[in-house]
Amino acid sequence: MTPGYRAHDAERLVSEPAKGSGLPGTGEPRRSPFSRDRARVLHSAALRRLAGKTQVVGPHEGVDAHGIPRTRLTHSLEVAQIGRGIAEELGCDPDVVDTAGLAHDIGHPPFGHNGEQALNAAAQACGGFEGNAQTLRILTRLEPKVDGHGLNLTRASLDAATKYPWARRAGVVKFGVYDDDMAVFEWLREGAPGDRRCVEAQLMDWSDDVAYSVHDVEDGVRSGRISLAALADPTERAVIAGLAAKHFSGEPVSNLEAAAEVLKSLPPVAALVRRDYDGSVEAQVALKRLTSELVGRFASAVVGDTRRLHGEGPLTRHGADLVIPAQAAAEVALLKAMAVRYVMSDPDRLAMQAGQRQLLTSLVAALVDSAPNGLESAFRPAWLEAEDDAGRLRVVIDQVASLTDAQAVTWHRVLVSDQGGQIGTR
C-alpha cells in the first residue's frame, strides 16, 4: 500500500470473498485495493452513461470540425488524468485520486447542471436532488457490483470522491449525502475531522476546476463562441471579472481584472488574443498549446505552494490541505466566467434549457403516476419496498437521473407526448 495510508483507509463496508475463477497456478492478482476501486468505476455502467450527458453543450451539439464536443465522460477522464499527475507529485495514492476524478460526476442527471435544478425542484418532498449526493448514492447503492452496496469501494476512495462532506442544510445549495444514505456516509467519514475534506478530495476538486475552466474555454474558442481577444478589451475584461467575482471567486473585481492582465500576457494566451481562431492547423496547434500550458501552470502552482507549506513526504487523507495560489485561483475563475459570458448566457441556449427543465419535470410526474410499470426492472424492487410516497419519489428521481440526454427525450416522448407508452426494460 502507498505510504501514508492505513488498513483503515483500505477497508470496504462489506467483506468480499477472493475470486475463484483463475486458472490453476496463476496465483492471486497483486493489485492494490485502490487499484481495484479505479477498475470498478472505470468499468461501471454509470460512468459509460456520462458519454451521453451534457458537459456545457450537449453531446449532439457540434463544437468542432468533427462535431464532437466534450461530454461528462471525457471531462471526467480529463479530471482523473490531471488529478493523477498532481497526486504523484504530492505523494497521494494516484489510484485514489484517479478514482475520485472518474467518479466525481457520475451522479449528474441529463442536461448537466440544468437538469440538476429541475430534479432538485421535483424532489423537494424526498429531500431534494444534488449531483454530488447522487454520486455517493450510485457508488454505494445503485451501481450493481455487490448486492445492495453498489461498487463497495474502499473508505479512502469514497472519501476522495466526496466533494461536499455534509448533509443538506438550510441556506446551503451544495451537499454530499441524502438522509437515507447517512449510514454509509458516517462509515466512510469515520475519523474525519468535521466537515474537512481529505486532501485527495481537495485535489480532485481543483482538478475539476482546472479541466472545467481550460477545456470549456477551448471548446468555446473552437466553436467560435469565445474569442480570447475579449481579455484585451477593457470593457469586456471588466464584465468577465464581474462574473468571476459573482459566481466563482471571493476576490474583489479589481483583483480579478489585475489577474486577467497577467493571464492575457502569457505567451500561449497572447498568441490567441492577437488573432481570431480560424480552424487552420496553425490555429489548432496554438489552441492545444494554450490548453496544455494552462493545465500545467495550474497543476504545478498547487504542487509548489502545497510542498512549501507541508514539506516533503506523502501528503494523504486528513494530514494536509491543498494550497491554491491566489493568482491561479483567479485565472481559473476568469476562464469559467468566460464560458458563462459567451456560451451559457446565450438567449437561445437559455430558452433551450428552460425546455429541458420542463421536460424532466413532466417526465418525473409521468413516472410517479405510472410506477412501477414505467420504471426499468432494476428500479422496481426499490419502489415496491419503499415505505412511503417520499421513498417512492426518490426511486423515480434515481430512475430519471440515470438517463442520458437522448434517453430523457425518448422517455418523455413515449410517456408524456404519446401519453402512456411503455419503455422497455434493460
Side-chain angles (χ1 to χ4, degrees):
M1 193 178 301
T2 301
Y5 294 87
R6 303 173 295 152
H8 173 85
D9 304 316
E11 283 181 352
R12 303 185 191 278
L13 184 60
V14 178
S15 60
E16 300 176 22
K19 293 182 178 180
S21 300
L23 291 171
T26 55
E28 284 292 317
R30 296 184 180 181
R31 290 186 301 162
S32 74
F34 303 143
S35 176
R36 291 177 184 272
D37 287 346
R38 179 182 178 276
R40 290 180 183 195
V41 174
L42 189 63
H43 292 290
S44 68
L47 183 68
R48 293 196 299 276
R49 281 196 291 270
L50 295 183
K53 297 194 181 189
T54 294
Q55 171 62 9
V56 172
V57 300
H60 303 295
E61 296 180 65
V63 299
D64 63 15
H66 305 288
I68 305 174
R70 281 181 167 87
T71 65
R72 284 282 162 187
L73 176 59
T74 56
H75 166 71
S76 297
L77 294 173
E78 288 165 338
V79 172
Q81 187 275 326
I82 293 169
R84 187 177 189 94
I86 300 174
E88 290 170 346
E89 295 288 338
L90 295 180
C92 306
D93 188 286
D95 285 321
V96 170
V97 178
D98 199 328
T99 298
L102 291 172
H104 82 284
D105 269 353
I106 270 181
H108 268 279
F111 312 126
H113 290 294
N114 187 45
E116 191 174 19
Q117 293 176 26
L119 290 190
N120 183 47
Q124 287 302 300
C126 63
F129 180 89
E130 213 286 334
N132 295 280
Q134 194 70 16
T135 290
L136 180 64
R137 189 171 179 84
I138 289 169
L139 295 176
T140 61
R141 184 193 293 248
L142 300 179
E143 179 67 23
K145 170 66 177 177
V146 175
D147 191 22
H149 297 282
L151 294 178
N152 196 34
L153 303 182
T154 64
R155 179 181 279 110
S157 291
L158 284 174
D159 201 17
T162 303
K163 188 183 291 190
Y164 305 108
W166 53 81
R168 192 186 192 199
R169 297 169 177 169
V172 179
V173 175
K174 295 293 186 180
F175 61 97
V177 58
Y178 301 125
D179 287 346
D180 58 349
D181 294 321
M182 281 300 298
V184 70
F185 176 77
E186 290 172 352
W187 173 84
L188 75 91
R189 292 290 291 170
E190 188 177 301
D195 291 346
R196 181 181 170 192
R197 296 182 297 172
C198 64
V199 69
E200 295 88 350
Q202 296 175 46
L203 203 166
M204 173 271 288
D205 193 17
W206 176 244
S207 301
D208 185 22
D209 277 349
V210 170
Y212 176 24
S213 61
V214 175
H215 295 136
D216 288 353
V217 166
E218 178 191 355
D219 280 353
V221 169
R222 185 179 287 115
S223 69
R225 293 180 171 101
I226 294 176
S227 171
L228 290 172
L231 292 172
D233 182 317
T235 301
E236 282 300 296
R237 192 164 61 240
V239 173
I240 293 165
L243 288 170
K246 179 180 179 181
H247 296 292
F248 306 116
S249 175
E251 294 286 336
V253 172
S254 59
N255 287 8
L256 291 163
E257 287 191 80
E261 287 278 2
V262 175
L263 179 63
K264 79 177 179 63
S265 299
L266 296 174
V269 180
L272 286 163
V273 168
R274 291 191 298 266
R275 57 168 289 177
D276 287 332
Y277 179 84
D278 60 8
S280 65
V281 171
E282 181 184 4
Q284 291 184 54
V285 169
L287 183 58
K288 188 51 66 177
R289 181 187 173 211
L290 169 82
T291 60
S292 178
E293 292 268 357
L294 288 180
V295 168
R297 176 179 174 85
F298 300 144
S300 62
V302 298
V303 170
D305 276 28
T306 302
R307 280 298 187 196
R308 274 188 283 275
L309 177 65
H310 294 292
E312 296 302 314
L315 306 179
T316 64
R317 304 288 279 128
H318 301 100
D321 287 305
L322 198 69
V323 180
I324 302 172
Q327 178 66 28
E331 290 176 7
V332 164
L334 288 162
L335 293 171
K336 291 165 80 172
M338 292 188 77
V340 170
R341 169 81 168 146
Y342 303 114
V343 179
M344 300 176 198
S345 299
D346 177 76
D348 291 339
R349 175 163 299 280
L350 294 175
M352 178 186 71
Q353 289 180 329
Q356 291 171 342
R357 291 192 298 274
Q358 181 57 49
L359 182 151
L360 291 183
T361 301
S362 300
L363 181 55
V364 169
L367 282 170
V368 166
D369 289 341
S370 66
N373 292 333
L375 302 174
E376 292 176 318
S377 57
F379 290 95
R380 290 175 189 168
W383 191 93
L384 293 170
E385 293 166 8
E387 297 179 353
D388 52 25
D389 288 344
R392 287 183 281 273
L393 175 59
R394 176 60 67 193
V395 177
V396 169
I397 296 295
D398 287 340
Q399 170 71 88
V400 174
S402 76
L403 302 175
T404 65
D405 294 9
Q407 286 174 328
V409 171
T410 299
W411 280 51
H412 182 270
R413 184 177 66 247
V414 173
L415 296 176
V416 180
S417 299
D418 294 347
Q419 298 182 351
Q422 289 293 309
I423 294 291
T425 61
R426 70 177 183 196

